[in-house]
Each structure stands twice: as C-alpha cells, then as structure tokens.
Amino acid sequence: MSRLVVVTTGPATSVQDAGRFGAQRYGLTTSGAMDRVSLAMANCLAGNEPFAAAIEIGPFSASFTARHGAVRVALAGAARAADIAGSPLLSNETGLIAEGETLKLGPARNGMFSYLAIEGGIRGERVFGSLSVNARADLGSPFPRPLQDGDVLDVGTAQVAPHERALDTFDAPPAPIRVVMGPQDDEFGVACDVFLGSEWRVSATSDRMGYRLEGPKVVHPGGHNIVSDGAVHGSIQVPGNGQPIVLMADHGTTGGYPKIATVISADLGRFAQMQSGAAIRFKAVSVESAQSEARALAEFIRGLPGRIHAAGGSSLNLVELQRANVAGVAVNAVDTATWQTKTLGEP
C-alpha cells in the first residue's frame, strides 16, 4: 500500500464516488461526484470500477506527493495545467508519481471539477455504502470533510510494469441544458416561458448543495410556499425572489419551494462544470427523451474501456512518416543526385 500526501489544496477538494443510494426517504442525500462521467473516465483509465472513489478537485490549485511507493494516477474533467516532477500530465491520461515526487495541479481553466483516480483505489471505511464526503452531514471517509493540507490517503501501489494509458474523448458543442418540466410547473403559468426563454448565469454563491441562477424574476402566481415534498438531484426550485436554484449532489431530500423543472441526468455533469458567471439556457424535453439519453449515457460509460489506448500511441512518428514517403518521389535538396535531371545527350 502506498500513500498520497495532500501538500496543498483548495476548499472544494474531497473524496467522492457514485454516492449513497436507497436512503433518501430517511433524509440521507446521495452526495457523490458532481460530474459522474468524468469520475468514470478517470477511474477506467486507472483500471478501477467506473464509480470507485477518487479525489474530486474543485477550481483551485492542488498538489500531492507519493510516499511508501509509486502511485499511478489518471486525471479527467475540467482542463488545468498538471505536471509530475516537471513532466506534464495530460487530461484523460495516466501518469506515474514515483516515490517522493509531487503532482502539481493548476487552477481549472474551464469547468469546475477535475477527478484524480488512483490505480488500486482509495482506502476507507464506507459510510452507508459510500466513501463520498458530505461535509454538512459530517459523512465520508477517510475524512468526513473536504481534504486539507497535510492529509494522508492510503492508496493502491502502482504496478511494476509501466502502462500509461490515454482515453479517446470528444468535445461536445455547446447546447442548452435539457430539463423535464415539473412537478410543480403548473404553479408558474406563463412564467415557464420566462424560465425557458431566458439566459441565466451561475451565481458565485453556488456550491455542492445547489447552483443559484441569476436572471429575470420567475413569478409564482399562487405564492412560493408549498407543502414540503421530495427533491432529487437536478430539481430546480424557485424561492420567493424568483431566482431558480438547481439542487446538486449534496441537496436536501425535501423542499418547500415549487419545482419548475428537473435537469435530466444525462446533463447533470455538464451543468455541474459551469463556472461562476457562465451563461446557460434550458430546453424542455419529454420524459421519454430523458430516459433515452440516460440509457445512451450508461452505454457510453460501459464502453469506456474500449476507448482506452497506450499513451502516445496516436502521436506522430517522424521516422515512419519519412519511410512512408507520402509525397510520392522524395528528394533531398542538398543531394543533387536525387533531383537533378540529366542534360540532353548524356548517357
């Protein structure tokens, strides 16, 4: 077993896995990774199960040092500068932190969260079936709080044979965040058109519990208080000030504000990566469409191992390119024998 020492970190770095399920009726929220797709990508690269526990790194810088053996890591999610002992670590690739070396991560350049998965996983005692940290509820393992400078994580030791890997990815074009309207959209009347037809910006006061949106006021003709009922990850509540709140991973399990819509599960990770001040729009889709997108996302995650290849395997090989002579008849400018034509009459 190796150890990963937290040298420096920001306030939004914690251990997260898929989360806790099956107990929301008892008031226990799911928590878990804000962007489950990026979590799965990092874990698959590291050779773990897709939703194993990893380090969720917020928008700030962080650094980690390997002790008691080498540690192999994989980074996915928000783009940021990263290097191991001065050698760059690319997003969606693995890298080896040798004993005593330090991985340094810069602030997020786009997006909010990156995921650092460790080959062999993170050791901890599951709390209600999960290592995920929920600081408000004092839950999680190995620490029931965000990581702090000096924390030490017990992690898997890297295998002896080097096998750095990369994952083929694609950048999806910007698109509206898709929602299913309801369950209390009938409380809003024409204000639903305001919600769907307006541009919103993510407030700087957002956190893992909820993303507050800033924009035009969404009016409640019938008032903003209802009998508290169940809420889920992605529920969009509208309090009395008319500014929607999208409930995120650490949301409460019930709420007393009307919910105008719910972000579909396939778009939750993309929405979670929206930085403070980012402009977004919403698009209403049917329940059937949301279910179809959820199945497609599950299929994508199941297929991640097939998208992995040796790191550098797709890089340009100059020697092979020269041998291929793709230009046809190759010449050498300093060797006249390769290009000078014979004069008329020469044998």
Side-chain angles (χ1 to χ4, degrees):
M1 182 183 299
S2 296
R3 290 182 174 176
L4 194 65
V5 180
V6 180
V7 181
T8 59
T9 189
T13 298
S14 61
V15 173
Q16 299 291 337
D17 52 28
R20 301 175 178 86
F21 296 93
Q24 288 194 78
R25 61 187 180 276
Y26 305 122
L28 181 63
T29 191
T30 58
S31 297
M34 293 283 275
D35 181 357
R36 298 177 78 226
V37 175
S38 293
L39 171 69
M41 292 169 68
N43 270 316
C44 286
L45 275 168
N48 304 331
E49 291 297 315
F51 299 120
I55 301 175
E56 180 180 83
I57 302 164
F60 307 102
S61 301
S63 57
F64 306 88
T65 298
R67 297 294 184 193
H68 302 289
V71 176
R72 182 166 279 108
V73 297
L75 185 67
R80 61 181 76 216
D83 71 80
I84 300 173
S87 297
L89 173 65
L90 301 180
S91 186
N92 301 314
E93 289 196 10
T94 61
L96 184 70
I97 312 176
E99 162 72 29
E101 289 184 342
T102 298
L103 164 65
K104 296 180 180 179
L105 302 170
R109 292 196 293 261
N110 57 39
M112 287 291 289
F113 298 98
S114 299
Y115 293 86
L116 188 70
I118 297 99
E119 180 183 58
I122 298 172
R123 305 294 191 271
E125 184 175 349
R126 294 180 180 273
V127 181
F128 298 109
S130 171
L131 300 187
S132 287
V133 170
N134 183 331
R136 285 185 172 86
D138 196 33
L139 295 176
S141 181
F143 304 100
R145 54 164 172 76
L147 293 177
Q148 300 175 357
D149 299 358
D151 283 345
V152 180
L153 302 173
D154 291 330
V155 299
T157 300
Q159 297 180 14
V160 176
H163 59 287
E164 308 314 334
R165 309 198 298 174
L167 181 66
D168 290 326
T169 60
F170 61 91
D171 294 322
I177 298 298
R178 293 166 293 183
V179 299
V180 172
M181 298 302 292
Q184 284 98 30
D185 55 318
D186 57 336
E187 296 276 343
F188 295 91
V190 296
C192 290
D193 296 331
V194 175
F195 171 73
L196 293 172
S198 301
E199 182 176 88
W200 302 92
R201 293 192 178 273
V202 178
S203 169
T205 60
S206 301
D207 57 18
R208 278 183 52 89
M209 189 171 184
Y211 277 21
R212 297 177 181 271
L213 303 181
E214 298 171 344
K217 184 174 182 178
V218 178
V219 179
H220 315 69
H224 64 271
N225 287 317
I226 63 172
V227 175
S228 292
D229 64 356
V232 298
H233 191 176
S235 290
I236 304 177
Q237 292 185 324
V238 184
N241 64 3
Q243 301 296 280
I245 303 172
V246 184
L247 302 187
M248 302 304 285
D250 288 348
H251 67 88
T253 57
T254 62
Y257 295 130
K259 295 173 284 295
I260 193 169
T262 303
V263 176
I264 70 171
S265 58
D267 282 1
L268 280 171
R270 184 161 60 91
F271 179 74
Q273 293 289 7
M274 297 287 183
Q275 292 183 315
S276 173
I280 58 174
R281 287 182 175 272
F282 295 101
K283 176 184 177 182
V285 299
S286 67
V287 171
E288 292 76 17
S289 177
Q291 292 172 337
S292 176
E293 291 298 322
R295 287 190 290 268
L297 181 61
E299 186 62 30
F300 170 78
I301 291 173
R302 280 193 294 269
L304 283 175
R307 302 170 66 91
I308 295 173
H309 56 82
S314 60
S315 61
L316 185 63
N317 187 321
L318 293 179
V319 174
E320 292 302 321
L321 182 63
Q322 290 170 343
R323 289 175 180 171
N325 192 16
V326 295
V329 178
V331 298
N332 186 333
V334 298
D335 183 359
T336 58
T338 67
W339 58 269
Q340 190 175 43
T341 59
K342 296 178 181 179
T343 60
L344 186 65
E346 286 184 343

